Amino acid sequence: MSKIPSNHPCDLCSSRKLSMLADLTEEQACNISDNKNMISHRKGQMLYYEKAKPLGVFCVNSGVIKIFKTASNGKEQIIHLAKKGDLLGYSALLGEENYTNSAMVIENAKICFIPKETFLKALVSNGPFFKRLTKALSHEIGVMEEKLVDASQKSIRERLAYLLLQLANSYGLDGGDHQQIDLVLSREEIASLIGTATESVIRLLSEFKKDKLIELKGKKIVILDKKGLVKLSDFYA
């Protein structure tokens, strides 16, 4: 990894507007700018490891990071994908616990590391920031509960269709009726995201292609029939 000069100001950062740090005052943003470090990470590099002690939080300026847990048999279970504007590691830091998951860069990224003391100082002195963080923690709990329900009640086909819709929403390129997901995930990573075997993902993607729901362009996926995927995923939001 290569370090980028840490004086990249938070008030000029485009990703800050998308993050929980959007509520910081000018003074707080300047304090964080003075104390943070922006680091350039390449694909495959680790941000932190499960059971390690958090020393601060990470704010994603660009790139994609997978947050995952490793089972006793060594198999990965991806919890979610973090993108531009996301804040990582704050729940373990606030709970004064070791990390309960690991984070790995899967698309070259620029990430700011904010030391614990700097982060907590901004948190306790800014009501809107504290409220936004509390809402985010509550949302995380709700998402985990929903995933547990989906895992027990939805079929693998439904879960894959829903995942493709989520990926298109977060990483899709606007192409009219067709939408390419501008993120390369291995079939193993897709399988980990929906909790199934890699062979099942390969088979289902082939079936989705045959049904003209998607098109496969090398390692990238193009959504051809979004309404069809919505119907298949049993998603009506």
Side-chain angles (χ1 to χ4, degrees):
M1 74 181 69
S2 58
K3 187 173 176 179
I4 296 174
S6 60
N7 58 353
H8 182 74
C10 289
D11 56 345
L12 298 179
C13 178
S14 60
S15 63
R16 180 187 160 206
K17 299 174 183 178
L18 305 172
S19 79
M20 286 183 276
L21 303 180
D23 291 317
L24 295 179
T25 64
E26 184 176 345
E27 181 181 353
Q28 290 167 338
C30 287
N31 183 53
I32 285 180
S33 292
D34 291 340
N35 291 281
K36 71 177 175 65
N37 286 314
M38 179 182 275
I39 310 291
S40 178
H41 297 265
R42 293 190 178 278
K43 180 178 179 179
Q45 291 182 326
M46 296 294 296
L47 273 188
Y48 59 80
Y49 290 89
E50 191 173 344
K51 297 183 180 179
K53 181 180 179 180
L55 300 176
V57 298
F58 301 87
C59 186
V60 183
N61 180 271
S62 65
V64 182
I65 295 88
K66 70 175 179 181
I67 313 302
F68 66 96
K69 290 182 72 69
T70 305
S72 57
N73 61 2
K75 186 177 180 180
E76 286 185 7
Q77 175 65 58
I78 299 178
I79 301 170
H80 72 274
L81 301 176
K83 60 184 186 302
K84 180 177 180 179
D86 286 350
L87 200 63
L88 304 176
Y90 62 88
S91 56
L93 185 72
L94 295 177
E96 297 183 344
E97 300 173 341
N98 292 343
Y99 291 119
T100 57
N101 50 54
S102 302
M104 175 188 283
V105 176
I106 61 171
E107 184 180 272
N108 291 353
K110 293 177 182 177
I111 300 170
C112 291
F113 176 75
I114 305 170
K116 176 181 178 179
E117 294 75 14
T118 303
F119 177 75
L120 293 179
K121 182 179 179 181
L123 182 65
V124 299
S125 60
N126 187 312
F129 179 34
F130 182 85
K131 184 178 180 181
R132 186 184 285 240
L133 202 66
T134 304
K135 286 179 68 176
L137 286 167
S138 298
H139 177 70
E140 281 186 12
I141 295 172
V143 169
M144 292 305 294
E145 290 176 345
E146 186 176 321
K147 283 189 174 181
L148 286 172
V149 172
D150 284 350
S152 62
Q153 296 185 1
K154 284 195 173 185
S155 69
I156 298 170
R157 181 183 292 270
E158 289 172 328
R159 297 204 299 269
L160 179 57
Y162 182 55
L163 174 65
L164 293 177
L165 290 169
Q166 287 182 309
L167 292 174
N169 183 55
S170 297
Y171 307 102
L173 298 176
D174 189 13
D177 294 335
H178 300 170
Q179 190 175 31
Q180 177 173 300
I181 298 172
D182 192 32
L183 174 66
V184 175
L185 291 173
S186 69
R187 301 302 184 249
E188 291 82 1
E189 287 171 330
I190 293 175
S192 179
L193 278 164
I194 62 174
T196 189
T198 304
E199 295 76 13
S200 297
V201 167
I202 294 172
R203 175 177 55 80
L204 286 172
L205 286 176
S206 179
E207 290 179 9
F208 284 9
K209 180 182 177 181
K210 184 179 178 181
D211 294 339
K212 300 191 183 320
L213 294 169
I214 65 170
E215 181 182 351
L216 302 176
K217 285 189 174 181
K219 293 183 178 180
K220 292 193 175 181
I221 299 172
V222 180
I223 306 298
L224 299 180
D225 185 358
K226 194 170 186 178
K227 290 182 179 179
L229 286 175
V230 169
K231 185 177 180 181
L232 183 59
S233 70
D234 194 26
F235 178 63
Y236 300 102

